[in-house]
Amino acid sequence: MEKIQHSHVQVQGLKLHVAQIGTGPKVVLFLHGFPEIWYSWRHQMIAVADAGFRAVAFDCRGYGLSDHPPEPEKANFNDLANEVVALLDSLAIDKAFLVGKDFGAMPAFMVAVTHPERVLGVITLGIPFLIPGPLGIQLDLLPKGFYVIRWAEPGRAEADFGRFDVKTVVRNIYILFCRSELQVAGDNEEIMDLVDPSTPLPPWFTEEDLDVYATSYQNSGFRTALQVPYRCMLLDCGITNPKVIAPSLLIMGEKDYVMKFPGMEDYMRKGIVKQFMPNLDITFMREGNHFVQEQLPEQVNELILTFLNKNSSTL
C-alpha cells in the first residue's frame, strides 16, 4: 500500500485525487462505486502493478479528496464519462483498460461506446451493461421503499444520514450492501434503520478500512455522491444504439443483491446483455457479494489478470 503514489491532477477545472502504482504502456484505470473511493481497488491495483501494468484509480468528482463540481446538484453521468477521457488526456494515456464497479461501470460503458479508440477492454463488477436514462434500471418495478428510490428524493438521504456520524453511515451501508437481499425500508423507517447497531462489519472489511472511507467522506460529504448516481440515473445521456465492441468481462457475485433487480438475472444468464456487448464473457462467483473485489480479492485479481494478459498480448 505504501508504494501507491498519490497526487492531484487538474481535470476539466477540478483537482482530482489520483492514486497510481506501476509503470509502462499497459494501463488499467479503475472506477469506483458508492460509497467508495480509490481505496476500494487497493487489492487490484497492487496485483496488476506486480503483473507489469500501470494501475490508476481516482476519486470521482465530489468524492473523497477530489473537488466538488461548482454545482453538485447538476452533476450527471456525462460529466463522469467526460472526466474519464480528460483524465486519460491529462496523464498522457492514449488507451487503457477500464475497470468499473457499481455505478463506476456506467462511465466505463459510456466511454467504450463513445470513444472506442481509447478503450482496450472493459471489466465491470456487479453491474452488467447499463447506461443512464429511462431504459436503464426499471425503478417502477421495485418497491417504493427501495434505497435507490429513497435516495433519489432530494433531502431524504441527507436527513437519514444526518442522524449519525459519517463513519456510522459508511459502516451501515457496507453492512447493508453486502447482503443478498434488496434494501427496502418500510413506510415508517429510513434505510439507515435497517441496520442493527450491534451488527459487526464483514470479516473482509476492517476497522482500519472503515477509517479510510470515513476520513474521505468527512472531507467530501455526500452532496455530489447522492446526485451521482442516485439523482441523475434516469437522465438521458444522449447515447443511441449503444454497443461496446471492445473485449469485455463481467464479474458477478451470485450473492450480490443486484441479482434480485427485476429481470436482471435473465438479462445476464440468457445472454441478452450480449446484444450490447458482443465480445463479453461473464463469470459468476458463487459466494460473491456486491463488494466482491474487497471480499474475494485473490479470486477477482486472478480473473482480471487473466483477462488483461489475454487482451494485451499485442501491445
Side-chain angles (χ1 to χ4, degrees), residues 2-314:
E2 64 275 4
K3 293 182 180 179
I4 296 176
Q5 298 180 334
H6 298 265
S7 63
H8 277 84
V9 178
Q10 195 79 14
V11 178
Q12 296 185 316
L14 302 178
K15 285 192 292 185
L16 300 184
H17 172 230
V18 179
Q20 299 188 68
I21 185 171
T23 58
K26 299 184 293 185
V27 180
V28 186
L29 178 63
F30 293 93
L31 306 169
H32 67 76
F34 179 95
E36 298 172 306
I37 50 173
W38 75 270
Y39 185 79
S40 314
W41 297 111
R42 58 198 179 280
H43 304 298
Q44 288 69 45
M45 291 181 72
I46 293 169
V48 302
D50 286 346
F53 293 83
R54 176 183 174 189
V56 182
F58 69 104
D59 296 342
C60 291
R61 57 178 56 203
Y63 280 76
L65 300 179
S66 290
D67 286 349
H68 284 275
E71 298 180 277
E73 288 75 22
K74 294 183 179 179
N76 58 61
F77 276 100
N78 282 6
D79 296 334
L80 289 195
N82 293 335
E83 185 169 86
V84 169
V85 176
L87 177 61
L88 293 176
D89 290 341
S90 294
L91 297 176
I93 296 168
D94 184 39
K95 298 180 179 183
F97 291 98
L98 303 182
V99 184
K101 187 256 173 181
D102 187 65
F103 84 79
M106 290 194 183
F109 294 139
M110 293 168 70
V111 172
V113 170
T114 58
H115 296 277
E117 74 285 355
R118 307 299 297 271
V119 178
L120 294 167
V122 178
I123 303 174
T124 62
L125 293 79
I127 297 285
F129 184 84
L130 288 172
I131 56 173
L135 299 180
I137 297 172
Q138 303 296 293
L139 294 179
D140 57 321
L141 300 178
L142 288 156
K144 64 179 181 178
F146 185 49
Y147 83 95
V148 173
I149 297 172
R150 287 287 182 90
W151 292 352
E153 181 183 333
R156 185 134 194 186
E158 289 88 337
D160 186 10
F161 294 0
R163 297 177 294 155
F164 307 94
D165 60 35
V166 170
K167 187 173 183 178
T168 300
V169 172
V170 177
R171 172 192 287 270
N172 287 351
I173 295 172
Y174 257 82
I175 289 169
L176 270 181
F177 283 25
C178 71
R179 297 174 180 171
S180 60
E181 63 268 16
L182 296 177
Q183 309 83 351
V184 180
D187 290 343
N188 297 314
E189 62 182 353
E190 298 298 329
I191 298 300
M192 291 292 105
D193 298 327
L194 298 176
V195 181
D196 183 327
S198 66
T199 305
L201 286 170
W204 42 265
F205 192 73
T206 68
E207 288 289 342
E208 290 75 18
D209 294 331
L210 178 61
D211 285 341
V212 174
Y213 284 91
T215 300
S216 289
Y217 277 93
Q218 282 164 357
N219 176 74
S220 66
F222 294 96
R223 187 179 176 189
T224 303
L226 287 166
Q227 173 65 22
V228 183
Y230 301 107
R231 295 172 185 166
C232 68
M233 65 172 55
L234 296 182
L235 186 67
D236 193 329
C237 65
I239 294 174
T240 56
N241 301 317
K243 187 164 285 191
V244 174
I245 302 302
S248 306
L249 172 66
L250 168 62
I251 301 172
M252 197 76 201
E254 293 191 340
K255 295 184 177 179
D256 188 329
Y257 67 86
V258 174
M259 294 283 284
K260 300 247 179 35
F261 282 30
M264 189 64 78
E265 188 159 7
D266 280 352
Y267 181 58
M268 293 181 284
R269 291 199 188 274
K270 293 185 177 179
I272 301 168
V273 63
K274 293 189 179 184
Q275 295 175 15
F276 306 102
M277 303 184 77
N279 297 311
L280 174 68
D281 291 327
I282 304 176
T283 295
F284 291 97
M285 299 182 67
R286 185 176 299 279
E287 297 300 318
N289 65 34
H290 193 61
F291 298 103
V292 68
Q293 88 281 15
E294 294 180 275
Q295 174 203 12
L296 302 169
E298 291 183 3
Q299 295 176 44
V300 170
N301 292 351
E302 184 177 348
L303 291 169
I304 289 175
L305 286 171
T306 298
F307 176 89
L308 294 177
N309 288 324
K310 176 183 176 184
N311 292 289
S312 62
S313 57
T314 58

